[in-house]
Amino acid sequence: MKKSLLALAVIAASGVSVANAADYSDDIYKNDHKWLQFNAMYAINEKPQFGDDTDKDHNYLEMEFGGRKGVVDLYGYVDIFDLAESDSDNNNKKDAAKSFMKLAPRFSIDGITGQDLSFGPVQEVYFSTLFNWGGGKSDTNNSFWGIGADVELPWFGKVGMNLYGLYDINKKDWNGYQFSTNWFKPFHFFDNGSFLSYQGYIDYQFGADDTFKGSSQATHGGAMFNGLYWHSDNYALGYGLKAYNDVYLIEDAGTTESSGISHYLSATYKF
């Protein structure tokens, strides 16, 4: 996360407060930036898991990208699983879909309307969307639609928050709501310019029925990712702990594990 993350690091290090409002009156493109990075990942005990043989692990390559262009704020990634097609029985992506993609475009209502909609700790307001696409015929195929904001919080700095309604594209119906938040907080800086960060996110689904299109499901659930990362200009190394509770509204029961803890190791190259 080259320019955007280092800019955040400089702000945090200098103690300079971020402007409370997103001002687009003179140039709608003045806050443009972009970044791209490749993450070599290893997941340990990732959820959900199905069947009697649990505690399986897998490797994957994540192509992660984001940026800002005019009124559009974009985040996304593409995951390619089990790169070497391992035959190990300890691989929970064996014989599964090869890929997964997330795309999260947000559209600045401040920028579109030319109005300053900031108030209190809220810096900017968005029309927020999110799309999850699996790589198999019957995999996850969801879209989320709602409202979002950049919010200035003590210590954390700018935090993204979004409240969505979930529309299941496969089943052609609405299925409750999701609240999502994400953060990136540099907290220790080294003399060579590298730094440590606490970064993560929360995705929490709620307000769903206990059955959806004839299938039993949880009425609420989600996941929280907590990552500790070392960043330089060109590289990053990190560890993440992810806590699940009935993730994706899959009920944790019988031979299905959709709640618990997983661990992630990553090595990153930044473009």
Side-chain angles (χ1 to χ4, degrees):
M1 301 180 182
K2 214 162 190 176
K3 295 182 180 177
S4 57
L5 296 192
L6 290 177
L8 285 171
V10 170
I11 291 170
S14 63
V16 177
S17 61
V18 180
N20 192 44
D23 180 14
Y24 295 96
S25 58
D26 57 342
D27 181 7
I28 199 170
Y29 297 111
K30 68 180 182 180
N31 294 321
D32 289 3
H33 66 274
K34 59 185 177 181
W35 56 270
L36 169 69
Q37 60 188 38
F38 279 55
N39 309 314
M41 306 285 295
Y42 194 78
I44 302 170
N45 201 22
E46 188 177 44
K47 303 294 187 288
Q49 296 178 6
F50 305 96
D52 296 322
D53 188 13
T54 58
D55 297 333
K56 294 185 176 181
D57 312 329
H58 68 93
N59 64 75
Y60 62 103
L61 176 66
E62 184 171 80
M63 294 164 281
E64 192 177 18
F65 54 89
R68 181 68 182 250
K69 180 72 173 182
V71 302
V72 181
D73 179 79
L74 179 66
Y75 172 77
Y77 63 80
V78 178
D79 288 342
I80 307 298
F81 302 118
D82 191 17
L83 300 175
E85 290 291 345
S86 171
D87 292 328
S88 171
D89 289 334
N90 195 43
N91 175 12
N92 67 357
K93 291 300 181 182
K94 184 179 179 181
D95 301 323
K98 193 72 176 177
S99 64
F100 177 82
M101 179 176 183
K102 180 186 289 285
L103 191 65
R106 300 195 303 169
F107 305 87
S108 170
I109 300 176
D110 296 57
I112 293 170
T113 63
Q115 302 296 313
D116 177 6
L117 302 179
S118 63
F119 60 93
V122 174
Q123 297 179 340
E124 191 167 2
V125 181
Y126 298 88
F127 170 61
S128 297
T129 64
L130 169 63
F131 301 90
N132 292 329
W133 294 298
K137 183 176 181 181
S138 59
D139 282 357
T140 298
N141 194 17
N142 288 337
S143 63
F144 300 77
W145 307 82
I147 194 78
D150 289 336
V151 181
E152 185 76 13
L153 296 181
W155 190 78
F156 281 93
K158 186 171 75 171
V159 173
M161 297 185 180
N162 302 283
L163 179 62
Y164 309 100
L166 165 57
Y167 183 78
D168 190 313
I169 299 174
N170 288 340
K171 297 183 177 181
K172 304 296 190 293
D173 204 356
W174 296 92
N175 187 19
Y177 307 91
Q178 177 168 304
F179 173 76
S180 297
T181 183
N182 59 82
W183 61 88
F184 177 88
K185 174 60 181 180
F187 66 88
H188 183 77
F189 299 86
F190 300 99
D191 292 339
N192 63 2
S194 65
F195 61 92
L196 297 177
S197 69
Y198 170 49
Q199 55 197 77
Y201 62 84
I202 297 172
D203 289 330
Y204 178 69
Q205 291 181 253
F206 63 97
D209 295 329
D210 56 6
T211 59
F212 180 60
K213 295 295 185 177
S215 300
S216 176
Q217 65 174 19
T219 59
H220 58 90
M224 179 182 185
F225 183 84
N226 297 275
L228 177 64
Y229 286 75
W230 168 81
H231 287 272
S232 70
D233 282 353
N234 299 312
Y235 305 99
L237 295 173
Y239 162 77
L241 183 148
K242 194 171 184 178
Y244 299 86
N245 178 45
D246 288 341
V247 68
Y248 311 129
L249 300 182
I250 298 170
E251 293 180 302
D252 190 88
T255 59
T256 297
E257 276 193 35
S258 59
S259 300
I261 298 294
S262 65
H263 308 272
Y264 293 81
L265 305 175
S266 69
T268 296
Y269 184 77
K270 305 177 185 182
F271 288 86

